[in-house]
Amino acid sequence: MTDNVVPLFKDPTIQEPTALAVPLTVVPDPAQKPRPLRVFVRTSRAVSGVVRHERTRQAARLTVRHGAYVLGGTRVTARRAWDGRTGARYERLLRAAEAAGNYEAAGEWEERLHRFRIERHKRRMDLLTAPQDLAKSAAIGAAGGIGGLIAIGIALAIATKDPGDVFTPLMALIELIRLLVFLVQLVWGPLMVVGPFLALAGLWAVGRQRATAPQWALPDRQRSDDAGMPITPSIVVTAMRDLGIATLRKAIKEMGDVGAAMLGPIRIAGCGVEVDVTLPSGVSTEEIQKRRKKLAENLNRHEHEVFITIPEAARTVRLWIADSGALDEPISPSPLVTDPTMTADYKSGKAPWGQDLRGDAAGMSLFQRHMLMTGVSNQGKTASLRALALWLALDRSVKFWMADLKGVGDWDMFTGIADVLIQGPTDKQVIEATEMVEAAVSEMERRILAPKGEKFPPLIVLVDEAQVAFMCPAVGDDRRPFGGTKVTSRYFQAVRKLHNQGRAVDVLLWQGTQDPTDENLPKVVREGAHTRASLVLGTESQARMALGDKAIDGGAAPHLLRQGLDKGTLVVASDGIKIPAGQTAITVRTHYIDDDAAAAIAQRARDLRNGVTTLTAVEPPETAADALADIAAALGSESKMLTQEVLRRLAAAHPGEYREWTFANLKQVLDAAGAPPRKTDGRMHVDGLKVADALARRADEMSDSVAE
């Protein structure tokens, strides 16, 4: 019990030892068996240090490298020997030709294989009689040789008058044979010792020549960085094989040349290389296009450094593979900046827009071409569009009407160049821009009706951020909306009319928009542009809206550009720029012209012109189309009229406005006015009384709004 009692007080004179002050000494018990010390932790650390040491790694790489050379050389030599003894080579080439669909070459290789087998059979049959022929030849040769030597000996004995010389030549031959045997015995031992080493050295040399060692085992100076490795046929074939397409992998495996027949020559193309790949039967070009990212990774490149297009040849894809990191380097400055003497020619010149992926200059012809440029915000759309306008401004004959619906001053330098410059994002600027485009329609109609042979200066009607106009909710006094895509939408209808006939009289519409959709960029407007260009976009569906299905199906991929990194890089579908044969679009890296350089170029353009006064708006056309009033005029005093007759009268009275109208257009206007057409005796009619009532109601509403 006393052992468990805790004392209440401690004697202060007694000092207890602490673990830190006094180390404890363990006295071993002689009767207890000593326990072995555990040293495996220390040993494992030592082994780990030795394994991770750089000298150990170098020794391991050295061993693996030279061992791989010998094994690889053995494999290569064995395959060469097998190919030389059998028809395996011909069979591989035959399968390759069949896989490539080249049946003519396949027939030729089959014929060569047949000849090889006939000749091999003949050689084997000759070997059956070879021992007998050899024995006969040896006997005849020996008899002739001995007889010849004895004849020489007889001649020698006669000359020396010594009968013993008859066998002197024969004895000399025997001595020569004995000497040769002695030499062989002398060399045979060392040769048997050195021979295997010489064979290993030969195999090592073959393996080293064919680079059979893995990359990690090579010395640092020979080890290449995968990201910067040059593109070789074997790399391309391996990348295609590993795409995960079973049919392609099987076809490459069955080819005698392991897929080399698929490739055309690898050509240097600007800051990369270009190669055409003929796909085997059963593999479509679409399957390759869908695996662009994986193909790029197999080629040790980033996705944006590999472009896949479809050339003219059937069942072929064209790969353009950039040098690693080359597309991240800036291109040279614009010739507009570096050459102060440059001028422009609207009809025959080409704007220096940038460089294609090959590094060649990309010039854009603007002659009689409507333009549409799209892309995500802040990716260089305005700068790319402005570069073309700056070049064209150096042709003093070209006139500009401009509307910048962003309104941050990107187009300020065109003051004194453009006849009209509207800037601002509000509905007021949208209304002014709409009236500007409608005035351009009136100018187009005036030119069309002008006497034949009369010349007119080119007129560029430019609307930047056009999606603001399409999405504008403002409605005019005539109840017609400025935005939207209805038949009564003023901006939409004006754009459509310019697209239909403006090109013929050099009234051209350039539009820049963001994130195209069916709402902010209708299909009719998209399809009406001759030049369609796109910067980076978010989705493939947007890319199809921007460039069209044909361009995207042909390999154009603006949605695969990198947002923020590929600023100013455009995918262009147009006949105004040189596009390689068989392709539907081209990728252009545009020259960037900053605001200061743009102002300097604009000043040169102003110096060419005679003091242009820039307006901030245009007067609306004096005879703005009023569809409801025109319908009432077409009806006249008739109480009802067939819809076909109404359309005919409208087209005859106002061909510029109603020539392309259909029943749907007429019905939409009448429905909106509350006077829908009705069917009488099975035919559609327009009710004159309802149209007159609708006009009266509209007049009352307008007078009420004025009074308020």
Side-chain angles (χ1 to χ4, degrees):
M1 295 294 294
T2 58
D3 294 337
N4 297 330
V5 176
V6 179
L8 297 176
F9 302 97
K10 294 174 42 176
D11 189 350
T13 60
I14 300 175
Q15 184 176 4
E16 296 181 357
T18 63
L20 293 177
V22 181
L24 298 177
T25 302
V26 179
V27 180
D29 187 359
Q32 185 178 2
K33 185 177 180 180
R35 298 169 60 186
L37 295 177
R38 296 185 177 181
V39 296
F40 67 90
V41 176
R42 184 179 300 175
T43 304
S44 64
R45 291 177 180 175
V47 172
S48 177
V50 171
V51 171
R52 295 180 180 179
H53 197 276
E54 183 60 28
R55 291 184 180 179
T56 306
R57 295 182 178 183
Q58 290 180 358
R61 284 198 294 265
L62 180 70
T63 304
V64 173
R65 178 169 70 250
H66 293 290
Y69 285 158
V70 174
L71 294 177
T74 303
R75 184 177 64 255
V76 172
T77 304
R79 182 162 187 173
R80 288 175 180 174
W82 178 258
D83 289 345
R85 298 287 296 176
T86 66
R89 178 185 306 168
Y90 299 97
E91 292 176 356
R92 286 200 306 271
L93 295 173
L94 172 61
R95 289 195 300 269
E98 289 177 345
N102 191 351
Y103 296 105
E104 182 179 354
E108 181 180 351
W109 286 115
E110 186 175 10
E111 182 180 354
R112 291 187 181 185
L113 176 60
H114 181 65
R115 288 201 304 267
F116 170 80
R117 287 173 174 171
I118 292 176
E119 293 174 358
R120 183 180 62 182
H121 177 72
K122 182 179 179 181
R123 290 193 301 270
R124 289 178 176 176
M125 295 304 295
D126 291 340
L127 288 176
L128 296 177
T129 59
Q132 301 176 5
D133 296 339
L134 181 62
K136 291 180 181 179
S137 299
I140 295 174
I146 294 174
L149 291 174
I150 292 176
I152 293 173
I154 293 173
L156 183 62
I158 294 173
T160 59
K161 298 180 180 181
D162 184 1
D165 290 338
V166 173
F167 299 101
T168 298
L170 186 60
M171 296 303 297
L173 176 62
I174 294 173
E175 286 294 328
L176 177 61
I177 294 173
R178 188 177 65 82
L179 178 61
L180 292 175
V181 171
F182 173 75
L183 293 176
V184 169
Q185 291 177 346
L186 184 65
V187 175
W188 183 258
L191 185 63
M192 292 300 294
V193 175
V194 179
F197 294 101
L198 294 177
L200 287 176
L203 296 175
W204 177 88
V206 173
R208 186 173 183 272
Q209 182 183 10
R210 296 293 296 270
T212 58
Q215 280 286 320
W216 62 268
L218 295 177
D220 294 339
R221 64 179 181 276
Q222 297 181 10
R223 200 179 309 151
S224 58
D225 183 10
D226 289 346
M229 287 181 63
I231 299 300
T232 62
S234 61
I235 290 178
V236 176
V237 172
T238 302
M240 298 293 291
R241 182 197 66 192
D242 296 340
L243 280 180
I245 303 175
T247 306
L248 179 60
R249 184 180 185 89
K250 182 179 179 181
I252 292 176
K253 185 177 180 181
E254 292 177 351
M255 291 181 183
D257 54 359
V258 201
M262 296 168 52
L263 305 184
I266 297 179
R267 304 174 296 273
I268 296 177
C271 57
V273 295
E274 187 177 74
V275 59
D276 288 349
V277 182
T278 302
L279 302 177
S281 178
V283 182
S284 67
T285 55
E286 184 180 2
E287 292 180 278
I288 305 299
Q289 288 180 306
K290 289 180 178 179
R291 289 168 170 81
R292 175 186 172 187
K293 183 176 182 180
K294 189 170 185 178
L295 177 61
E297 292 173 349
N298 292 346
L299 292 167
N300 301 312
R301 294 294 189 271
H302 296 291
E303 184 178 8
H304 72 277
E305 294 175 332
V306 175
F307 289 82
I308 306 173
T309 54
I310 310 300
E312 292 180 332
R315 213 172 66 238
T316 303
V317 293
R318 178 168 294 164
L319 307 181
W320 185 86
I321 308 162
D323 297 336
S324 183
L327 294 183
D328 297 327
E329 298 293 330
I331 64 173
S332 59
S334 171
L336 286 172
V337 178
T338 59
D339 185 4
T341 63
M342 175 173 283
T343 58
D345 189 329
Y346 162 74
K347 187 173 183 179
S348 60
K350 289 191 174 184
W353 208 9
Q355 296 178 358
D356 61 16
L357 296 179
R358 295 169 171 266
D360 300 331
M364 170 62 73
S365 173
L366 305 175
F367 177 64
Q368 292 188 342
R369 290 179 176 87
H370 298 299
M371 183 179 298
L372 174 65
M373 190 175 298
T374 63
V376 175
S377 176
N378 195 31
Q379 296 303 304
K381 171 177 52 63
T382 298
S384 301
L385 191 61
R386 189 176 67 182
L388 297 177
L390 285 170
W391 175 81
L392 196 56
L394 297 176
D395 185 342
R396 59 184 300 174
S397 67
V398 179
K399 295 183 178 296
F400 292 93
W401 293 1
M402 295 182 167
D404 175 17
L405 300 182
K406 180 164 48 176
V408 295
D410 289 336
W411 298 88
D412 277 344
M413 69 285 301
F414 278 85
T415 301
I417 299 175
D419 294 290
V420 180
L421 179 57
I422 301 166
Q423 298 186 88
T426 66
D427 290 349
K428 178 178 180 295
Q429 281 79 38
V430 172
I431 293 172
E432 293 172 348
T434 302
E435 292 173 346
M436 178 189 76
V437 179
E438 289 176 339
V441 173
S442 300
E443 172 65 16
M444 174 192 72
E445 293 174 345
R446 184 185 72 83
R447 295 184 180 191
I448 292 174
L449 298 175
K452 186 176 181 181
E454 186 175 351
K455 301 295 184 181
F456 299 98
L459 173 60
I460 305 299
V461 182
L462 189 151
V463 181
D464 195 11
E465 306 297 340
Q467 78 279 355
V468 178
F470 283 108
M471 303 298 290
C472 178
V475 179
D477 294 336
D478 57 356
R479 301 297 180 182
R480 295 176 61 195
F482 288 93
T485 59
K486 297 180 179 179
V487 70
T488 55
S489 300
R490 293 177 60 178
Y491 182 82
F492 170 64
Q493 290 300 321
V495 168
R496 184 182 61 82
K497 291 173 183 177
L498 284 182
H499 278 172
N500 287 342
Q501 295 177 303
R503 182 196 65 82
V505 290
D506 290 321
V507 179
L508 305 176
L509 179 64
W510 294 5
Q511 294 185 98
T513 68
Q514 292 183 15
D515 295 337
T517 63
D518 287 328
E519 289 74 24
N520 63 25
L521 192 61
K523 182 177 181 181
V524 174
V525 176
R526 301 195 302 262
E527 300 295 334
H530 304 98
T531 295
R532 302 169 71 173
S534 175
L535 295 104
V536 58
L537 289 172
T539 63
E540 182 179 338
S541 62
Q542 288 182 321
R544 290 184 179 276
M545 292 182 185
L547 299 179
D549 292 337
K550 182 178 180 182
I552 301 303
D553 292 338
H559 54 289
L560 296 181
L561 296 174
R562 301 168 298 166
Q563 185 171 352
L565 298 177
D566 290 327
K567 285 187 176 182
T569 300
L570 287 161
V571 182
V572 185
S574 171
D575 61 350
I577 192 170
K578 184 180 179 181
I579 297 178
Q583 297 185 22
T584 56
I586 187 172
T587 302
V588 177
R589 303 173 68 196
T590 59
H591 297 295
Y592 175 67
I593 302 176
D594 59 29
D595 291 343
D596 294 338
I601 299 169
Q603 184 58 48
R604 286 159 43 196
R606 277 190 289 271
D607 294 340
L608 296 174
R609 298 166 187 262
N610 297 324
V612 175
T613 300
T614 300
L615 304 177
T616 57
V618 296
E619 292 294 330
E622 296 180 0
T623 57
D626 186 344
L628 189 60
D630 291 339
I631 293 172
L635 288 169
S637 59
E638 299 286 340
S639 61
K640 65 177 181 178
M641 184 180 292
L642 290 172
T643 54
Q644 292 90 339
E645 179 63 19
V646 174
L647 289 172
R648 188 190 66 79
R649 291 188 180 188
L650 285 173
H654 307 281
E657 294 290 339
Y658 305 112
R659 182 185 305 163
E660 299 180 1
W661 265 39
T662 64
F663 172 75
N665 303 125
L666 179 63
K667 184 177 184 300
Q668 187 173 4
V669 172
L670 293 174
D671 289 344
R678 57 189 176 84
K679 183 178 290 188
T680 304
D681 297 331
R683 304 183 69 180
M684 298 300 294
H685 290 75
V686 178
D687 192 324
L689 296 177
K690 289 186 177 181
V691 172
D693 291 341
L695 281 173
R697 287 195 305 271
R698 190 178 72 178
D700 293 340
E701 292 174 356
M702 291 178 64
S703 61
D704 292 342
S705 62
V706 171
E708 291 175 358

